Amino acid sequence: MKESERIEMQKELIEYIGRYLEKQGYQPVAGRVLGLLMVMDKEEYTFDEIILAMKISKSSASAALKNLELRGAIEYITYTGDRKRYFRISFSDINIVIEGIERKIKAYADIMDRVISLKKNPNSKNSILLKNISGGTKFFLSQLEDFRNKNHK
Amino acid sequence: MKESERIEMQKELIEYIGRYLEKQGYQPVAGRVLGLLMVMDKEEYTFDEIILAMKISKSSASAALKNLELRGAIEYITYTGDRKRYFRISFSDINIVIEGIERKIKAYADIMDRVISLKKNPNSKNSILLKNISGGTKFFLSQLEDFRNKNHK
DNA sequence: TTATTAGTTCTGCAATTCCCGAACTGTTTT
DNA sequence: AAAACAGTTCGGGAATTGCAGAACTAATAA
């Protein structure tokens, strides 16, 4: 693969990641900026470099970067004697990824439980089904715990 | 808890579920309709009953129901000699829920791998971090497989 | 055949989201 | 003190999404 081809593919991948993240609830520009920081070989971008690379306005960049930082997707560092921020992806390790999944599943299980507790007939078809899901979900969460213990060291 | 209170709480829960699902990318009306089908004691709603309960237009109901069905969140049945559709939540069992999670994680791991394969320097900080995540993710997926085997019978 | 039922599709308005340019803030350099 | 730098905030236009009303379709009933 030629160098220029590789770079071309990186750019396509950024766009792909952007669309993927949009589906996950990121705003378009934020998704693509995160893509940029993930795929390019350059691993620290300044504000201006991001603007240049993505051809976006300062305000869009500012909003997107703030948003990504809030989500914990990126972080920035500074170098003494240099006022610029250097942005990079903040790699949560796998356990943090798992924790995120856990939180989502817990929220889901929680809703199930609330629904069940408000059912008039706890033996109705839906009640039973909901209980099964809720039970399965809790078992699954215990498995996740195991996973983290196995993995966490 | 009085009956009227319970019903009041069910309505609030529908709204809560609606907001929750909105964050998951559902459109407002669709989220609330799904909430309705989840929490109420009545477990099969016709088109008109949904319109009545949610105070929405036919077109909104039509769009929302189509959307929910496409996602696999609801289904409908018909009774012979009755032209109406009876909508209800389609309870995927826990394994289907897990499969959904798996699919999402696979898509994520896939992106990681594509990013890695396009890196110029496979030993750069980001490359290493990405490999760790990708590796951890794959281990996690194997655990999920185990879970399904343990659970699926 | 006409009317009714059970929805679907088609505008079009309203609200929301997205993003830009311009003005602004706070810090550092000249 | 003025200019430059590194962003942030504000206001508004464009695009998108969400929803309603009305017209439409296909099937059944009268």
Side-chain angles (χ1 to χ4, degrees), chain B residues 53-92:
Chain B
M54 306 309 291
K55 295 170 181 22
I56 54 177
S57 69
K58 289 211 286 177
S59 52
S60 297
S62 179
L65 291 168
K66 187 190 281 178
N67 184 283
L68 290 172
E69 214 193 326
L70 229 80
R71 289 176 183 265
I74 64 167
E75 59 191 19
Y76 67 81
I77 47 164
T78 54
Y79 295 100
T80 44
D82 183 347
R83 202 141 58 93
K84 290 194 201 67
R85 280 134 133 146
Y86 290 81
F87 295 91
R88 62 184 186 198
I89 35 175
S90 73
F91 278 115
S92 42

Side-chain angles (χ1 to χ4, degrees), chain A residues 26-30 55-60 81 83:
Chain A
Y26 287 68
Q27 49 191 131
V29 169
K55 294 171 182 24
I56 55 177
S57 70
K58 290 210 286 174
S59 51
S60 296
R83 201 139 59 92

Side-chain angles (χ1 to χ4, degrees), chain A residues 35-48:
Chain A
L36 179 79
L37 297 180
M38 282 174 68
V39 330
M40 297 311 273
D41 298 300
K42 180 177 185 55
E43 301 187 335
E44 285 177 2
Y45 276 78
T46 66
F47 192 88
D48 282 328

Side-chain angles (χ1 to χ4, degrees), chain B residues 7-25:
Chain B
I7 292 168
E8 191 47 43
M9 286 179 73
Q10 285 182 324
K11 291 201 174 144
E12 277 165 28
L13 186 50
I14 291 174
E15 175 60 20
Y16 179 81
I17 291 175
R19 287 197 304 268
Y20 168 81
L21 291 175
E22 255 183 277
K23 280 179 217 139
Q24 313 294 313

Side-chain angles (χ1 to χ4, degrees), chain A residues 37-137:
Chain A
L37 297 180
M38 282 174 68
V39 330
M40 297 311 273
D41 298 300
K42 180 177 185 55
E43 301 187 335
E44 285 177 2
Y45 276 78
T46 66
F47 192 88
D48 282 328
E49 285 166 346
I50 289 169
I51 285 173
L52 200 71
M54 304 311 290
K55 294 171 182 24
I56 55 177
S57 70
K58 290 210 286 174
S59 51
S60 296
S62 178
L65 290 169
K66 186 190 281 179
N67 183 283
L68 290 172
E69 214 194 325
L70 231 79
R71 289 176 184 265
I74 64 168
E75 59 191 18
Y76 67 82
I77 47 165
T78 54
Y79 296 100
T80 44
D82 183 347
R83 201 139 59 92
K84 290 192 202 67
R85 278 129 128 143
Y86 291 81
F87 295 92
R88 63 184 187 198
I89 35 176
S90 72
F91 277 115
S92 43
D93 75 348
I94 181 74
N95 284 310
I96 294 183
V97 174
I98 305 298
E99 268 167 39
I101 293 172
E102 248 183 274
R103 251 197 315 284
K104 275 186 200 162
I105 295 177
K106 266 191 193 127
Y108 183 69
D110 229 62
I111 285 178
M112 293 294 144
D113 288 345
R114 284 177 66 185
V115 171
I116 292 167
S117 76
L118 287 175
K119 285 284 184 187
K120 176 168 203 146
N121 175 4
N123 297 313
S124 70
K125 206 174 157 209
N126 277 3
S127 298
I128 301 289
L129 283 164
L130 283 163
K131 279 181 198 162
N132 280 345
I133 295 270
S134 169
T137 303

